[in-house]
Amino acid sequence: MWVYVLIIVILAVVIAIGTLLYMRNIRKDDIKTQYVKLEGIRNLPFQDELVKVKDYNLHGEAQSLYKTWQSDWQNVLKHSLVEAQNDLDQATEDVEKFRFNDSRAKTESANAKLESVEEKYKALSGEIHQLIDANEEGERKYSEAERLYRESKRDVLANGHQFGDAQPHLEKLIETYEPELKDYEKQVNQGNYVTANKEIDEVHEELSILKENMDEIPLLIKEVQKDLPQQFQEVRFGCRDLKADGYDLEHIKVEGKLSTLKGKLNLVEPLITRLELDEARDILEDINTQLDDMLELVEHEVMAKTKVDHEKDIITDDLFHAKDMNYTLRTEIDYVKEQFHINETDIHQVQKYEHEIEGMIEIYDEIISETSKSMARYSEVLDNLEYIKDNIGSINEEQQQIQQYLINLREDEAEARENALLIQDRKEEIYRELLGSNLTSVPEKFLVMKNELDIDVKEINKYFKRRPLNVQYIKDKVNRTVILMNKYEQEAYEILQAARLTEVMIQYGNRYRRDDPDFNHKLNEAERLFRENRYKRALEIVRAALDKVEPGAAERIEKEFDKR
């Protein structure tokens, strides 16, 4: 037994040793990876990056930056890399002694230091490239600024008349940029690239704006001296012509507004002369906005007249059509309400429309009065005309519906009378058919139904004598009686058909009575039911009896009967 225990212990020891050796190899591989990383960082080409800066004047700011970058990198190499090296060496010793947790901690510490070195390398390299890019951009902007300076100076000298009184101010302003351009060269020669780049950014932006303003100044002067005064004259003369044509433009106050705008315009040219172009643009924009608003009002008047001329006759016809129809409706209602019951809502609606139409006619009279003047404000005329248009259409539609309602009263009464006569004639005709048929007697339910129809017809005829007549009530009453009449007719037809068909089948079945006692008994039963006015049941019995003695005979007899 102890042998087995010994074997198990030995196996456990072997497994434990194997596990330790396996874990040690893994940790060694991790440490080896960090050593490789360490060497890669130590060999980073930072000096190659610094060499790029040596092409510049290593004075002033450039020299200070160069030394700072070099010092920072050396400090990183001396401290962070050395500390990382020590951590890895200690981690190696810990692994050999199977202190895996300590080894892992040292490895992670070394990795953190190496990553911080990489970040520092990226940051320092980024600063170097940023300076190089900024210097290249500064040189480009310097060249561009020099070109803008020369072109601006040449344009002022060659085309001074285009700038008017602003020419001397432009010349002085342009000359102020010459020392600033020279200062850029001075700063570059002294190695102060950061300061130089910042200054040339400002100079380049100001010269670009100056060039744009110089291109715009002749246009602004033209707008002030020629374009806007010409527009003022066109508006003034155009409005005078419209007034002569009968337009009332007093509410627009053309002359007063033009005088105010002219006063504002006189402020613009001195601003241009002093190169205060933003203020000049604001005033010109305000002038153009007010001028557009004024022209929009004038155009509205012209369009209003066109619309008035186009729609006046149409709306006039609609208005007086509504008036005539309203009078007709009021007259007709006074007559009809003695004959028929009329909805009070319709009566009040017609009265309401009468007042509304009178109000619109007053507005229409104002329109006629306004357009007959030597000068008319067509915008107000159009507003009044559109008010009438917006309301008169719905009034005409509503009055048309009321008129149709009054017409329907007479037509519905006539239709109800005609249907009542048809009911009277048809119920008597059906009753005569029942009396003249082969029925032993008229079934009681038909007597009851006829009696109900008689009572309804009597009530209908009596109600027709009432005044005023409620047409809807009598119409509904007649319609209900028609439904009862149709039921009376349908059931009478079915009974007559059943009785006749029963007789035919009994006559056909007489041939089997002598030889078939059971069949004879069935036919005797059917004849008894027939005499008791139970025709449908008699038909069922004789049909079943025939199908038993002669299959298909009943169906054949029915088909031949239907063809008659």
Side-chain angles (χ1 to χ4, degrees):
M1 183 66 182
W2 63 271
V3 175
Y4 295 110
V5 174
L6 180 63
I7 292 172
I8 292 172
V9 171
I10 293 171
L11 287 174
V13 170
V14 170
I15 292 172
I17 294 172
T19 302
L20 289 172
L21 292 175
Y22 175 74
M23 292 178 65
R24 187 177 67 177
N25 290 334
I26 291 176
R27 297 307 308 155
K28 282 183 176 181
D29 289 341
D30 291 342
I31 295 170
K32 183 178 180 181
T33 300
Q34 293 301 320
Y35 272 121
V36 172
K37 186 175 182 179
L38 174 67
E39 288 305 315
I41 292 174
R42 182 176 283 128
N43 295 323
L44 285 173
F46 185 74
Q47 292 302 323
D48 294 341
E49 299 292 340
L50 278 176
V51 167
K52 298 176 183 178
V53 182
K54 287 186 176 181
D55 293 338
Y56 297 108
N57 294 320
L58 287 180
H59 305 288
E61 295 172 349
Q63 185 179 28
S64 176
L65 289 170
Y66 182 86
K67 290 180 178 180
T68 300
W69 291 330
Q70 191 174 42
S71 174
D72 288 348
W73 183 246
Q74 290 302 322
N75 287 334
V76 167
L77 294 178
K78 287 180 182 178
H79 295 92
S80 296
L81 288 186
V82 170
E83 291 175 1
Q85 176 77 48
N86 293 335
D87 287 342
L88 293 175
D89 291 342
Q90 291 178 12
T92 302
E93 293 179 4
D94 290 338
V95 167
E96 294 297 336
K97 296 176 181 179
F98 298 101
R99 295 199 293 266
F100 298 128
N101 288 335
D102 293 342
S103 173
R104 183 183 295 106
K106 295 293 191 304
T107 305
E108 290 176 352
S109 175
N111 183 62
K113 292 182 175 66
L114 292 176
E115 288 182 351
S116 69
V117 174
E118 285 182 323
E119 292 298 325
K120 188 65 176 178
Y121 173 80
K122 292 178 182 177
L124 295 176
S125 298
E127 291 177 9
I128 293 171
H129 286 285
Q130 185 177 1
L131 176 65
I132 294 172
D133 293 341
N135 290 345
E136 292 176 354
E137 181 67 11
E139 290 176 4
R140 185 191 68 77
K141 287 186 175 180
Y142 173 72
S143 300
E144 181 71 14
E146 271 195 322
R147 182 184 64 79
L148 292 171
Y149 169 75
R150 291 193 303 270
E151 289 181 358
S152 300
K153 191 172 183 179
R154 184 185 65 238
D155 289 347
V156 171
L157 293 175
N159 304 304
H161 63 283
Q162 292 184 352
F163 305 104
D165 295 338
Q167 180 185 2
H169 294 82
L170 282 172
E171 290 177 348
K172 290 180 182 179
L173 180 61
I174 293 170
E175 291 301 326
T176 61
Y177 290 104
E178 183 177 8
E180 295 188 20
L181 292 171
K182 290 181 178 179
D183 187 61
Y184 169 79
E185 295 178 343
K186 178 182 177 182
Q187 294 290 348
V188 169
N189 291 332
Q190 293 175 355
N192 298 325
Y193 291 99
V194 176
T195 301
N197 292 334
K198 182 179 179 182
E199 290 180 353
I200 200 61
D201 281 345
E202 297 175 357
V203 172
H204 179 267
E205 182 179 1
E206 291 176 6
L207 280 170
S208 298
I209 294 173
L210 174 62
K211 189 64 172 65
E212 292 175 359
N213 289 338
M214 288 178 63
D215 292 338
E216 188 180 5
I217 286 173
L219 301 176
L220 294 174
I221 293 174
K222 179 175 176 290
E223 185 175 8
V224 171
Q225 295 180 350
K226 182 179 179 182
D227 294 345
L228 282 175
Q230 184 177 346
Q231 289 185 49
F232 292 165
Q233 287 295 99
E234 290 174 354
V235 171
R236 179 176 287 108
F237 292 137
C239 289
R240 287 178 183 176
D241 292 341
L242 289 174
K243 288 180 179 179
D245 290 338
Y247 288 88
D248 180 2
L249 303 178
E250 289 301 321
H251 62 293
I252 302 178
K253 304 185 186 314
V254 176
E255 292 296 336
K257 288 183 179 179
L258 287 177
S259 178
T260 302
L261 294 180
K262 187 175 180 181
K264 287 187 176 183
L265 187 61
N266 292 334
L267 301 174
V268 177
E269 196 162 358
L271 291 173
I272 297 174
T273 299
R274 297 194 300 270
L275 301 180
E276 298 175 8
L277 300 185
D278 289 337
E279 292 84 349
R281 293 189 192 99
D282 291 342
I283 294 176
L284 288 174
E285 183 178 357
D286 180 57
I287 291 173
N288 280 300
T289 299
Q290 292 192 47
L291 193 61
D292 290 342
D293 292 343
M294 185 165 51
L295 289 173
E296 186 176 347
L297 291 173
V298 173
E299 184 180 3
H300 179 62
E301 288 295 324
V302 174
M303 293 178 65
K305 183 179 186 302
T306 301
K307 202 165 184 180
V308 167
D309 292 341
H310 180 262
E311 297 187 352
K312 180 181 174 184
D313 292 340
I314 299 172
I315 295 174
T316 300
D317 291 343
D318 290 343
L319 176 61
F320 286 97
H321 173 70
K323 180 182 178 183
D324 293 341
M325 182 179 288
N326 186 266
Y327 174 77
T328 301
L329 286 174
R330 285 185 285 113
T331 303
E332 192 168 355
I333 285 174
D334 289 339
Y335 169 75
V336 171
K337 69 181 180 180
E338 296 179 0
Q339 301 295 320
F340 302 105
H341 173 76
I342 301 175
N343 292 334
E344 288 295 323
T345 303
D346 292 333
I347 297 174
H348 293 313
Q349 198 71 7
V350 171
Q351 293 171 349
K352 173 175 168 287
Y353 290 149
E354 178 187 6
H355 298 308
E356 291 182 4
I357 292 169
E358 287 176 356
M360 282 187 274
I361 289 176
E362 290 179 3
I363 295 173
Y364 179 79
D365 291 339
E366 292 177 7
I367 292 173
I368 298 300
S369 175
E370 182 69 18
T371 53
S372 64
K373 295 177 181 178
S374 58
M375 287 197 301
R377 188 172 300 179
Y378 287 99
S379 57
E380 291 185 357
V381 173
L382 181 60
D383 289 342
N384 290 333
L385 203 63
E386 288 185 339
Y387 170 78
I388 296 175
K389 179 183 177 181
D390 292 341
N391 291 277
I392 202 63
S394 60
I395 290 176
N396 275 328
E397 289 179 6
E398 292 291 336
Q399 291 193 147
Q400 182 66 39
Q401 291 177 9
I402 294 172
Q403 187 180 50
Q404 187 60 47
Y405 164 70
L406 296 176
I407 293 172
N408 290 342
L409 288 177
R410 298 187 182 89
E411 293 179 351
D412 290 346
E413 182 201 18
E415 182 180 354
R417 287 184 181 276
E418 183 179 354
N419 287 336
L421 291 173
L422 289 174
I423 293 169
Q424 174 66 26
D425 293 342
R426 186 60 186 147
K427 73 178 177 63
E428 295 299 333
E429 182 180 345
I430 292 170
Y431 188 67
R432 286 194 297 272
E433 288 182 11
L434 289 171
L435 292 174
S437 66
N438 60 339
L439 302 180
T440 57
S441 63
V442 177
E444 184 178 354
K445 75 171 185 176
F446 291 101
L447 297 176
V448 173
M449 293 177 71
K450 180 179 181 301
N451 184 56
E452 291 178 358
L453 288 170
D454 290 338
I455 293 172
D456 285 348
V457 170
K458 185 177 180 181
E459 289 180 356
I460 290 170
N461 290 331
K462 182 179 178 181
Y463 198 85
F464 272 125
K465 297 177 182 179
R466 292 187 181 183
R467 287 296 179 269
L469 179 67
N470 189 328
V471 174
Q472 187 61 46
Y473 171 80
I474 195 64
K475 183 179 177 182
D476 293 341
K477 179 70 174 175
V478 170
N479 288 339
R480 288 194 296 270
T481 307
V482 167
I483 292 172
L484 180 59
M485 175 69 230
N486 291 337
K487 181 180 179 182
Y488 175 60
E489 182 177 12
Q490 179 64 29
E491 293 191 8
Y493 171 78
E494 291 175 359
I495 286 296
L496 290 173
Q497 291 292 91
R500 291 166 184 164
L501 186 57
T502 301
E503 282 188 331
V504 171
M505 286 191 178
I506 289 174
Q507 290 173 4
Y508 182 83
N510 285 333
R511 67 188 67 182
Y512 298 109
R513 297 181 94 164
R514 182 182 300 173
D515 300 327
D516 191 336
D518 183 60
F519 179 77
N520 181 56
H521 175 71
K522 293 292 185 182
L523 258 59
N524 288 335
E525 177 67 13
E527 288 173 344
R528 182 183 67 79
L529 293 171
F530 190 92
R531 289 191 297 272
E532 294 176 358
N533 295 330
R534 297 172 64 186
Y535 306 105
K536 292 184 178 180
R537 179 57 183 158
L539 179 60
E540 291 175 2
I541 291 174
V542 72
R543 181 189 291 118
L546 273 177
D547 283 339
K548 188 175 182 181
V549 299
E550 185 181 342
E555 183 179 357
R556 187 179 68 255
I557 292 170
E558 286 184 26
K559 289 181 179 179
E560 292 176 356
F561 182 82
D562 291 337
K563 292 178 181 179
R564 295 177 183 178

